[in-house]
Amino acid sequence: MGEDKRNNLFKKGQVIFYEGNRGHGLFCIYSGQVKLHKLGEDAREQIVRFAVKGDVLGYRSLLGNEPYSATATALEDCAVCYIPREKFLEVLETNPDLSLRAIKLLSHDLKDSEERLINITQKKVIERISEALLILRNKFGLQEDGKTINVVLTRREIGNIASVSTETTIRTIAELVKLGAISLRRKRIEINDEGQLIGLAKVVD
Amino acid sequence: MGEDKRNNLFKKGQVIFYEGNRGHGLFCIYSGQVKLHKLGEDAREQIVRFAVKGDVLGYRSLLGNEPYSATATALEDCAVCYIPREKFLEVLETNPDLSLRAIKLLSHDLKDSEERLINITQKKVIERISEALLILRNKFGLQEDGKTINVVLTRREIGNIASVSTETTIRTIAELVKLGAISLRRKRIEINDEGQLIGLAKVVD
DNA sequence: CGCTTAATTGAACATACTCAAAATTTGTGG
DNA sequence: CCACAAATTTTGAGTATGTTCAATTAAGCG
């Protein structure tokens, strides 16, 4: 079905779909990294989630028949496969197993979202930034050296994961360096002491 | 309490299920009001959602096969019907329409949750409290007078919807009274100017 | 009533934001 | 490959917004 559809390429910084628009299909990430983000008041960005190779985008909008709840932007060059709505719904109906899988996916995302609500509202900045770094580590993994987080984001973007201003994000990252939990190499972040980071994030789970 | 499976009664303040425990079925609210809340650090409560007559609880835990992500507590005396896991899954498998409905429900809840994340992190206290009142209005409705919100919560609980301390919640509610948006009768809150409240909440949707 | 819980008020304090400016990095065209 | 422009990072200082703590008043309940 997705024969030459795989030719969809998005350059770094390009938008795959916009919050508020209606979707007519699914997006499958073949390669590359994507951020899902929403705009709040005065254009402040909140990063909701990330997607990497193998992840599927837009399923919620499609399943719930609602506009996209977030904008998807390529963090680096991406190859994306598009699956039209009809095709997907067809498969879904003939395959009850798939809908159960979708349900589990949604349940999991919902749990994540609710937990993040608590984290952001009840934790201090250093805890939220620590957690943001752990989220990045888990989503994008580490490089061969076993400690460098495999993604490059601006300080502003890292702040927008944790809902923290850019300046405070910078100061907090500097503090984490001073504590020895992480170190910096250009825009790359290395995790030196994951245990400490977890402790700082006060991760309950 | 009732021995009859179909008519479990919960008194005001009693817990229907606890966050972290595993569920073995669904709960259907026949009558009464329920709050769903999570405990963060140092026992601070975050109210995640409410449920009233007709709402179903525990479906996410059941569908996603995960522990309850929140505690359900009766805000007033409740009649609750319990549907065992097997029964439900049986119906779900033979009824593909139901699973699609579940998917829509989950999609909607997820959207809500993500929107609330932005609201709480990017809005000021008066905006968040205003929104909390609108949430209450929409969920519990108004009394016959057409302006009194049909639920009684403590100031602390209202604050825990919006992630605001009890003291600040009190001061903010007083401010809303002064602005003429609402007025108080005992523990009841009357909405005098819904438009103003919506404006204050800066509701985008 | 008497007791417990909730609401209220005041004041000190802390945390993180904002604003401004400088330093550094990155990107681009010649 | 360099020079310039743009974007990002960094630092400092002042400030706002809410939190916390303590004390008082009011309300709910047995």
CSV table of all heavy atoms in Angstrom, one decimal, chain A residues 57-112:
chain,number,residue,atom,x,y,z
A,57,LEU,N,2.3,8.6,14.0
A,57,LEU,CA,1.7,9.9,14.4
A,57,LEU,C,0.3,10.0,13.8
A,57,LEU,O,0.1,9.6,12.7
A,57,LEU,CB,2.6,11.0,13.9
A,57,LEU,CG,4.0,11.0,14.5
A,57,LEU,CD1,4.8,12.2,13.9
A,57,LEU,CD2,4.0,11.1,16.0
A,58,GLY,N,-0.5,10.8,14.5
A,58,GLY,CA,-1.8,11.1,13.9
A,58,GLY,C,-2.9,10.1,14.2
A,58,GLY,O,-4.0,10.3,13.8
A,59,TYR,N,-2.5,9.0,14.9
A,59,TYR,CA,-3.5,8.0,15.1
A,59,TYR,C,-4.7,8.5,16.0
A,59,TYR,O,-5.8,8.1,15.8
A,59,TYR,CB,-2.9,6.7,15.6
A,59,TYR,CG,-2.3,6.8,17.0
A,59,TYR,CD1,-3.1,6.6,18.1
A,59,TYR,CD2,-1.0,7.3,17.2
A,59,TYR,CE1,-2.5,6.7,19.4
A,59,TYR,CE2,-0.5,7.4,18.4
A,59,TYR,CZ,-1.3,7.1,19.5
A,59,TYR,OH,-0.7,7.2,20.8
A,60,ARG,N,-4.3,9.3,16.9
A,60,ARG,CA,-5.3,9.8,17.9
A,60,ARG,C,-6.3,10.6,17.2
A,60,ARG,O,-7.5,10.5,17.4
A,60,ARG,CB,-4.6,10.5,19.0
A,60,ARG,CG,-5.6,11.2,19.9
A,60,ARG,CD,-5.0,11.2,21.3
A,60,ARG,NE,-3.6,11.4,21.1
A,60,ARG,CZ,-3.1,12.6,21.4
A,60,ARG,NH1,-3.8,13.6,21.8
A,60,ARG,NH2,-1.8,12.8,21.3
A,61,SER,N,-5.8,11.5,16.4
A,61,SER,CA,-6.7,12.4,15.6
A,61,SER,C,-7.6,11.6,14.7
A,61,SER,O,-8.8,11.8,14.6
A,61,SER,CB,-5.8,13.4,14.8
A,61,SER,OG,-6.6,13.9,13.8
A,62,LEU,N,-7.0,10.6,14.1
A,62,LEU,CA,-7.8,9.8,13.2
A,62,LEU,C,-8.8,8.9,13.9
A,62,LEU,O,-10.0,8.9,13.6
A,62,LEU,CB,-6.8,8.8,12.5
A,62,LEU,CG,-7.3,8.2,11.2
A,62,LEU,CD1,-7.7,9.3,10.2
A,62,LEU,CD2,-6.3,7.3,10.6
A,63,LEU,N,-8.4,8.3,15.0
A,63,LEU,CA,-9.3,7.4,15.8
A,63,LEU,C,-10.4,8.2,16.5
A,63,LEU,O,-11.5,7.8,16.5
A,63,LEU,CB,-8.5,6.6,16.8
A,63,LEU,CG,-7.5,5.6,16.2
A,63,LEU,CD1,-6.6,5.1,17.3
A,63,LEU,CD2,-8.2,4.5,15.5
A,64,GLY,N,-10.0,9.3,17.0
A,64,GLY,CA,-11.0,10.1,17.8
A,64,GLY,C,-11.8,11.1,16.8
A,64,GLY,O,-12.6,11.8,17.3
A,65,ASN,N,-11.4,11.1,15.6
A,65,ASN,CA,-12.0,12.0,14.6
A,65,ASN,C,-12.0,13.4,15.1
A,65,ASN,O,-13.0,14.1,15.1
A,65,ASN,CB,-13.4,11.5,14.4
A,65,ASN,CG,-14.0,12.1,13.1
A,65,ASN,OD1,-13.2,12.4,12.2
A,65,ASN,ND2,-15.3,12.3,13.0
A,66,GLU,N,-10.8,13.8,15.5
A,66,GLU,CA,-10.6,15.2,16.0
A,66,GLU,C,-9.4,15.8,15.2
A,66,GLU,O,-8.6,15.1,14.6
A,66,GLU,CB,-10.3,15.2,17.5
A,66,GLU,CG,-11.5,14.7,18.3
A,66,GLU,CD,-11.1,14.8,19.8
A,66,GLU,OE1,-10.0,15.2,20.1
A,66,GLU,OE2,-12.0,14.5,20.6
A,67,PRO,N,-9.3,17.2,15.2
A,67,PRO,CA,-8.2,17.8,14.6
A,67,PRO,C,-6.9,17.4,15.4
A,67,PRO,O,-7.0,17.0,16.5
A,67,PRO,CB,-8.4,19.3,14.8
A,67,PRO,CG,-9.9,19.4,15.2
A,67,PRO,CD,-10.3,18.1,15.8
A,68,TYR,N,-5.8,17.6,14.7
A,68,TYR,CA,-4.5,17.3,15.4
A,68,TYR,C,-4.4,18.1,16.6
A,68,TYR,O,-4.7,19.3,16.6
A,68,TYR,CB,-3.3,17.6,14.4
A,68,TYR,CG,-3.2,16.7,13.3
A,68,TYR,CD1,-3.2,17.2,12.0
A,68,TYR,CD2,-3.2,15.3,13.4
A,68,TYR,CE1,-3.1,16.4,10.9
A,68,TYR,CE2,-3.1,14.5,12.3
A,68,TYR,CZ,-3.0,15.0,11.0
A,68,TYR,OH,-2.9,14.2,10.0
A,69,SER,N,-4.0,17.5,17.7
A,69,SER,CA,-3.9,18.3,19.0
A,69,SER,C,-2.6,18.9,19.1
A,69,SER,O,-2.3,19.6,20.1
A,69,SER,CB,-4.3,17.4,20.1
A,69,SER,OG,-3.2,16.4,20.3
A,70,ALA,N,-1.6,18.6,18.3
A,70,ALA,CA,-0.3,19.2,18.4
A,70,ALA,C,0.3,19.3,17.0
A,70,ALA,O,-0.1,18.6,16.0
A,70,ALA,CB,0.6,18.3,19.3
A,71,THR,N,1.3,20.1,16.9
A,71,THR,CA,2.1,20.2,15.7
A,71,THR,C,3.3,19.2,15.7
A,71,THR,O,3.9,19.1,16.7
A,71,THR,CB,2.6,21.7,15.5
A,71,THR,OG1,1.5,22.6,15.5
A,71,THR,CG2,3.4,21.8,14.3
A,72,ALA,N,3.5,18.6,14.5
A,72,ALA,CA,4.7,17.7,14.4
A,72,ALA,C,5.8,18.4,13.6
A,72,ALA,O,5.5,18.7,12.4
A,72,ALA,CB,4.2,16.4,13.8
A,73,THR,N,6.9,18.6,14.1
A,73,THR,CA,8.0,19.2,13.4
A,73,THR,C,9.2,18.3,13.4
A,73,THR,O,9.6,17.7,14.4
A,73,THR,CB,8.4,20.6,14.1
A,73,THR,OG1,7.2,21.4,14.1
A,73,THR,CG2,9.5,21.2,13.4
A,74,ALA,N,9.9,18.2,12.3
A,74,ALA,CA,11.1,17.4,12.1
A,74,ALA,C,12.3,18.0,12.9
A,74,ALA,O,12.6,19.2,12.6
A,74,ALA,CB,11.4,17.2,10.7
A,75,LEU,N,12.9,17.3,13.7
A,75,LEU,CA,14.1,17.8,14.4
A,75,LEU,C,15.3,17.6,13.6
A,75,LEU,O,16.3,18.2,13.8
A,75,LEU,CB,14.3,17.0,15.8
A,75,LEU,CG,13.2,17.4,16.9
A,75,LEU,CD1,13.4,16.4,18.0
A,75,LEU,CD2,13.4,18.8,17.3
A,76,GLU,N,15.2,16.6,12.7
A,76,GLU,CA,16.3,16.4,11.7
A,76,GLU,C,15.6,15.9,10.4
A,76,GLU,O,14.4,15.6,10.4
A,76,GLU,CB,17.3,15.4,12.2
A,76,GLU,CG,16.7,14.2,12.8
A,76,GLU,CD,17.7,13.2,13.3
A,76,GLU,OE1,18.8,13.6,13.7
A,76,GLU,OE2,17.4,12.0,13.2
A,77,ASP,N,16.3,15.7,9.4
A,77,ASP,CA,15.7,15.2,8.1
A,77,ASP,C,15.0,13.8,8.4
A,77,ASP,O,15.5,13.0,9.1
A,77,ASP,CB,16.8,14.9,7.1
A,77,ASP,CG,17.4,16.3,6.6
A,77,ASP,OD1,16.9,17.3,7.2
A,77,ASP,OD2,18.3,16.3,5.8
A,78,CYS,N,13.8,13.7,7.9
A,78,CYS,CA,12.9,12.6,8.2
A,78,CYS,C,12.4,12.0,7.0
A,78,CYS,O,12.0,12.6,6.0
A,78,CYS,CB,11.7,13.0,9.1
A,78,CYS,SG,12.1,13.4,10.8
A,79,ALA,N,12.3,10.6,7.0
A,79,ALA,CA,11.5,9.9,6.0
A,79,ALA,C,10.2,9.4,6.6
A,79,ALA,O,10.2,8.8,7.6
A,79,ALA,CB,12.3,8.8,5.4
A,80,VAL,N,9.1,9.8,6.0
A,80,VAL,CA,7.8,9.5,6.6
A,80,VAL,C,6.9,8.8,5.6
A,80,VAL,O,6.8,9.2,4.5
A,80,VAL,CB,7.2,10.8,7.1
A,80,VAL,CG1,5.8,10.6,7.6
A,80,VAL,CG2,8.0,11.5,8.1
A,81,CYS,N,6.2,7.8,6.1
A,81,CYS,CA,5.3,7.1,5.2
A,81,CYS,C,3.9,7.5,5.6
A,81,CYS,O,3.5,7.6,6.8
A,81,CYS,CB,5.5,5.6,5.4
A,81,CYS,SG,4.1,4.6,4.9
A,82,TYR,N,3.1,7.8,4.6
A,82,TYR,CA,1.7,8.2,4.9
A,82,TYR,C,0.7,7.1,4.6
A,82,TYR,O,0.7,6.5,3.5
A,82,TYR,CB,1.4,9.4,4.0
A,82,TYR,CG,0.0,9.9,4.2
A,82,TYR,CD1,-0.3,10.7,5.3
A,82,TYR,CD2,-1.0,9.6,3.2
A,82,TYR,CE1,-1.6,11.2,5.4
A,82,TYR,CE2,-2.3,10.1,3.4
A,82,TYR,CZ,-2.6,10.9,4.5
A,82,TYR,OH,-3.9,11.4,4.7
A,83,ILE,N,-0.2,6.8,5.5
A,83,ILE,CA,-1.2,5.8,5.3
A,83,ILE,C,-2.6,6.4,5.3
A,83,ILE,O,-3.0,7.0,6.3
A,83,ILE,CB,-1.2,4.7,6.4
A,83,ILE,CG1,0.2,4.0,6.5
A,83,ILE,CG2,-2.3,3.7,6.2
A,83,ILE,CD1,0.4,3.2,7.7
A,84,PRO,N,-3.3,6.4,4.2
A,84,PRO,CA,-4.6,7.1,4.1
A,84,PRO,C,-5.6,6.5,5.1
A,84,PRO,O,-5.6,5.3,5.4
A,84,PRO,CB,-5.0,6.9,2.7
A,84,PRO,CG,-4.0,6.0,2.0
A,84,PRO,CD,-3.0,5.7,3.0
A,85,ARG,N,-6.5,7.4,5.5
A,85,ARG,CA,-7.5,7.0,6.4
A,85,ARG,C,-8.3,5.8,6.1
A,85,ARG,O,-8.4,4.9,7.0
A,85,ARG,CB,-8.5,8.2,6.5
A,85,ARG,CG,-9.7,8.0,7.3
A,85,ARG,CD,-10.8,9.1,7.0
A,85,ARG,NE,-12.0,8.9,7.8
A,85,ARG,CZ,-12.1,9.3,9.0
A,85,ARG,NH1,-11.2,9.9,9.6
A,85,ARG,NH2,-13.3,9.0,9.7
A,86,GLU,N,-8.8,5.6,4.9
A,86,GLU,CA,-9.6,4.5,4.5
A,86,GLU,C,-8.9,3.2,4.7
A,86,GLU,O,-9.4,2.3,5.3
A,86,GLU,CB,-10.1,4.6,3.0
A,86,GLU,CG,-11.0,5.8,2.8
A,86,GLU,CD,-10.3,7.1,2.8
A,86,GLU,OE1,-9.1,7.2,2.5
A,86,GLU,OE2,-10.9,8.1,3.2
A,87,LYS,N,-7.7,3.2,4.2
A,87,LYS,CA,-6.8,2.0,4.3
A,87,LYS,C,-6.7,1.6,5.7
A,87,LYS,O,-6.9,0.4,6.1
A,87,LYS,CB,-5.4,2.4,3.7
A,87,LYS,CG,-4.7,1.2,3.2
A,87,LYS,CD,-5.1,0.9,1.8
A,87,LYS,CE,-4.4,-0.3,1.3
A,87,LYS,NZ,-5.0,-0.7,-0.1
A,88,PHE,N,-6.5,2.5,6.6
A,88,PHE,CA,-6.3,2.2,8.0
A,88,PHE,C,-7.5,1.7,8.6
A,88,PHE,O,-7.5,0.7,9.3
A,88,PHE,CB,-5.7,3.4,8.7
A,88,PHE,CG,-5.6,3.2,10.2
A,88,PHE,CD1,-4.7,2.3,10.7
A,88,PHE,CD2,-6.4,3.9,11.1
A,88,PHE,CE1,-4.6,2.1,12.1
A,88,PHE,CE2,-6.3,3.7,12.4
A,88,PHE,CZ,-5.4,2.8,12.9
A,89,LEU,N,-8.6,2.4,8.4
A,89,LEU,CA,-9.9,2.0,9.1
A,89,LEU,C,-10.3,0.6,8.6
A,89,LEU,O,-10.9,-0.2,9.3
A,89,LEU,CB,-11.0,3.0,8.8
A,89,LEU,CG,-10.8,4.4,9.5
A,89,LEU,CD1,-11.9,5.3,9.1
A,89,LEU,CD2,-10.7,4.2,11.0
A,90,GLU,N,-10.1,0.3,7.3
A,90,GLU,CA,-10.3,-1.0,6.7
A,90,GLU,C,-9.6,-2.1,7.5
A,90,GLU,O,-10.2,-3.0,8.0
A,90,GLU,CB,-9.9,-0.9,5.3
A,90,GLU,CG,-10.4,-2.0,4.4
A,90,GLU,CD,-9.8,-1.9,3.0
A,90,GLU,OE1,-10.0,-0.8,2.4
A,90,GLU,OE2,-9.1,-2.9,2.6
A,91,VAL,N,-8.4,-1.8,7.7
A,91,VAL,CA,-7.5,-2.8,8.4
A,91,VAL,C,-8.0,-2.9,9.8
A,91,VAL,O,-8.1,-4.0,10.4
A,91,VAL,CB,-6.1,-2.4,8.4
A,91,VAL,CG1,-5.2,-3.4,9.2
A,91,VAL,CG2,-5.5,-2.3,7.0
A,92,LEU,N,-8.4,-1.8,10.4
A,92,LEU,CA,-8.8,-1.8,11.8
A,92,LEU,C,-10.0,-2.6,12.0
A,92,LEU,O,-10.1,-3.4,13.0
A,92,LEU,CB,-9.1,-0.3,12.2
A,92,LEU,CG,-9.3,-0.1,13.7
A,92,LEU,CD1,-8.0,-0.3,14.5
A,92,LEU,CD2,-9.8,1.3,14.0
A,93,GLU,N,-11.0,-2.5,11.1
A,93,GLU,CA,-12.2,-3.2,11.3
A,93,GLU,C,-12.1,-4.7,11.1
A,93,GLU,O,-12.7,-5.5,11.8
A,93,GLU,CB,-13.3,-2.6,10.3
A,93,GLU,CG,-13.9,-1.4,10.9
A,93,GLU,CD,-15.0,-0.8,9.9
A,93,GLU,OE1,-15.4,-1.6,9.0
A,93,GLU,OE2,-15.4,0.3,10.1
A,94,THR,N,-11.3,-5.1,10.1
A,94,THR,CA,-11.1,-6.5,9.9
A,94,THR,C,-10.1,-7.1,10.9
A,94,THR,O,-10.0,-8.3,10.9
A,94,THR,CB,-10.6,-6.7,8.5
A,94,THR,OG1,-9.4,-6.0,8.3
A,94,THR,CG2,-11.6,-6.3,7.4
A,95,ASN,N,-9.5,-6.3,11.7
A,95,ASN,CA,-8.5,-6.8,12.6
A,95,ASN,C,-8.7,-6.3,14.0
A,95,ASN,O,-8.1,-5.3,14.4
A,95,ASN,CB,-7.1,-6.4,12.0
A,95,ASN,CG,-6.0,-7.2,12.7
A,95,ASN,OD1,-6.2,-7.8,13.7
A,95,ASN,ND2,-4.9,-7.2,12.0
A,96,PRO,N,-9.5,-7.0,14.7
A,96,PRO,CA,-9.9,-6.6,16.1
A,96,PRO,C,-8.7,-6.5,17.0
A,96,PRO,O,-8.7,-5.7,18.0
A,96,PRO,CB,-10.9,-7.6,16.5
A,96,PRO,CG,-10.6,-8.8,15.7
A,96,PRO,CD,-10.1,-8.3,14.4
A,97,ASP,N,-7.7,-7.3,16.7
A,97,ASP,CA,-6.5,-7.3,17.5
A,97,ASP,C,-5.8,-5.9,17.4
A,97,ASP,O,-5.3,-5.4,18.4
A,97,ASP,CB,-5.5,-8.3,17.0
A,97,ASP,CG,-4.4,-8.5,17.9
A,97,ASP,OD1,-4.6,-8.7,19.1
A,97,ASP,OD2,-3.2,-8.5,17.5
A,98,LEU,N,-5.9,-5.3,16.3
A,98,LEU,CA,-5.3,-4.0,16.1
A,98,LEU,C,-5.9,-2.9,16.9
A,98,LEU,O,-5.3,-2.1,17.5
A,98,LEU,CB,-5.3,-3.6,14.6
A,98,LEU,CG,-4.5,-2.4,14.2
A,98,LEU,CD1,-3.0,-2.6,14.5
A,98,LEU,CD2,-4.7,-2.0,12.8
A,99,SER,N,-7.2,-3.0,17.0
A,99,SER,CA,-7.9,-2.0,17.8
A,99,SER,C,-7.6,-2.1,19.3
A,99,SER,O,-7.6,-1.2,20.0
A,99,SER,CB,-9.4,-2.0,17.5
A,99,SER,OG,-10.0,-3.1,18.2
A,100,LEU,N,-7.4,-3.4,19.7
A,100,LEU,CA,-7.0,-3.6,21.1
A,100,LEU,C,-5.6,-3.0,21.3
A,100,LEU,O,-5.4,-2.4,22.4
A,100,LEU,CB,-7.1,-5.0,21.4
A,100,LEU,CG,-7.6,-5.3,22.8
A,100,LEU,CD1,-9.2,-5.2,22.8
A,100,LEU,CD2,-7.2,-6.6,23.4
A,101,ARG,N,-4.8,-3.1,20.3
A,101,ARG,CA,-3.5,-2.6,20.5
A,101,ARG,C,-3.5,-1.0,20.5
A,101,ARG,O,-2.8,-0.4,21.3
A,101,ARG,CB,-2.6,-3.0,19.3
A,101,ARG,CG,-1.1,-2.9,19.6
A,101,ARG,CD,-0.3,-4.2,19.3
A,101,ARG,NE,-0.8,-5.1,18.3
A,101,ARG,CZ,-0.3,-5.2,17.1
A,101,ARG,NH1,0.8,-4.5,16.7
A,101,ARG,NH2,-0.7,-6.1,16.3
A,102,ALA,N,-4.4,-0.5,19.7
A,102,ALA,CA,-4.6,1.0,19.7
A,102,ALA,C,-5.1,1.4,21.1
A,102,ALA,O,-4.6,2.5,21.6
A,102,ALA,CB,-5.6,1.4,18.6
A,103,ILE,N,-6.0,0.7,21.6
A,103,ILE,CA,-6.5,1.0,22.9
A,103,ILE,C,-5.4,1.0,24.0
A,103,ILE,O,-5.3,1.9,24.8
A,103,ILE,CB,-7.6,0.0,23.3
A,103,ILE,CG1,-8.9,0.3,22.6
A,103,ILE,CG2,-7.9,0.1,24.8
A,103,ILE,CD1,-10.0,-0.6,22.8
A,104,LYS,N,-4.5,0.0,23.9
A,104,LYS,CA,-3.4,0.0,24.9
A,104,LYS,C,-2.5,1.2,24.7
A,104,LYS,O,-2.0,1.8,25.7
A,104,LYS,CB,-2.7,-1.3,24.7
A,104,LYS,CG,-3.4,-2.5,25.3
A,104,LYS,CD,-2.5,-3.7,25.5
A,104,LYS,CE,-3.4,-4.8,26.1
A,104,LYS,NZ,-2.8,-6.1,26.0
A,105,LEU,N,-2.2,1.5,23.4
A,105,LEU,CA,-1.4,2.6,23.1
A,105,LEU,C,-1.9,3.9,23.7
A,105,LEU,O,-1.3,4.7,24.4
A,105,LEU,CB,-1.3,2.8,21.6
A,105,LEU,CG,0.0,3.4,21.0
A,105,LEU,CD1,1.2,2.6,21.5
A,105,LEU,CD2,-0.1,3.5,19.5
A,106,LEU,N,-3.2,4.1,23.5
A,106,LEU,CA,-3.9,5.3,24.0
A,106,LEU,C,-3.9,5.3,25.5
A,106,LEU,O,-3.6,6.4,26.2
A,106,LEU,CB,-5.3,5.3,23.5
A,106,LEU,CG,-5.5,5.8,22.0
A,106,LEU,CD1,-6.9,5.4,21.6
A,106,LEU,CD2,-5.2,7.3,21.9
A,107,SER,N,-4.2,4.2,26.1
A,107,SER,CA,-4.2,4.1,27.6
A,107,SER,C,-2.8,4.5,28.2
A,107,SER,O,-2.7,5.3,29.1
A,107,SER,CB,-4.5,2.7,28.1
A,107,SER,OG,-5.7,2.3,27.6
A,108,HIS,N,-1.8,4.0,27.5
A,108,HIS,CA,-0.5,4.3,28.0
A,108,HIS,C,-0.1,5.8,27.8
A,108,HIS,O,0.4,6.4,28.7
A,108,HIS,CB,0.5,3.4,27.2
A,108,HIS,CG,1.9,3.6,27.6
A,108,HIS,ND1,2.8,4.5,27.0
A,108,HIS,CD2,2.6,3.1,28.6
A,108,HIS,CE1,3.9,4.5,27.6
A,108,HIS,NE2,3.9,3.7,28.6
A,109,ASP,N,-0.5,6.3,26.7
A,109,ASP,CA,-0.2,7.8,26.5
A,109,ASP,C,-0.9,8.6,27.5
A,109,ASP,O,-0.4,9.6,28.0
A,109,ASP,CB,-0.6,8.2,25.0
A,109,ASP,CG,0.4,7.7,24.0
A,109,ASP,OD1,1.4,7.1,24.4
A,109,ASP,OD2,0.2,8.0,22.8
A,110,LEU,N,-2.2,8.2,27.7
A,110,LEU,CA,-3.0,9.0,28.7
A,110,LEU,C,-2.4,8.9,30.1
A,110,LEU,O,-2.3,10.0,30.8
A,110,LEU,CB,-4.4,8.4,28.7
A,110,LEU,CG,-5.4,9.2,29.6
A,110,LEU,CD1,-5.4,10.6,29.3
A,110,LEU,CD2,-6.8,8.6,29.4
A,111,LYS,N,-1.9,7.8,30.5
A,111,LYS,CA,-1.3,7.6,31.8
A,111,LYS,C,0.0,8.6,31.8
A,111,LYS,O,0.2,9.3,32.8
A,111,LYS,CB,-0.8,6.2,32.0
A,111,LYS,CG,-0.4,5.9,33.4
A,111,LYS,CD,0.2,4.5,33.5
A,111,LYS,CE,1.0,4.4,34.8
A,111,LYS,NZ,2.0,3.4,34.7
A,112,ASP,N,0.8,8.5,30.8
A,112,ASP,CA,2.0,9.3,30.7
A,112,ASP,C,1.6,10.8,30.8
A,112,ASP,O,2.2,11.5,31.6
A,112,ASP,CB,2.6,9.2,29.3
A,112,ASP,CG,3.8,8.3,29.3
A,112,ASP,OD1,3.9,7.5,30.3
A,112,ASP,OD2,4.6,8.4,28.4
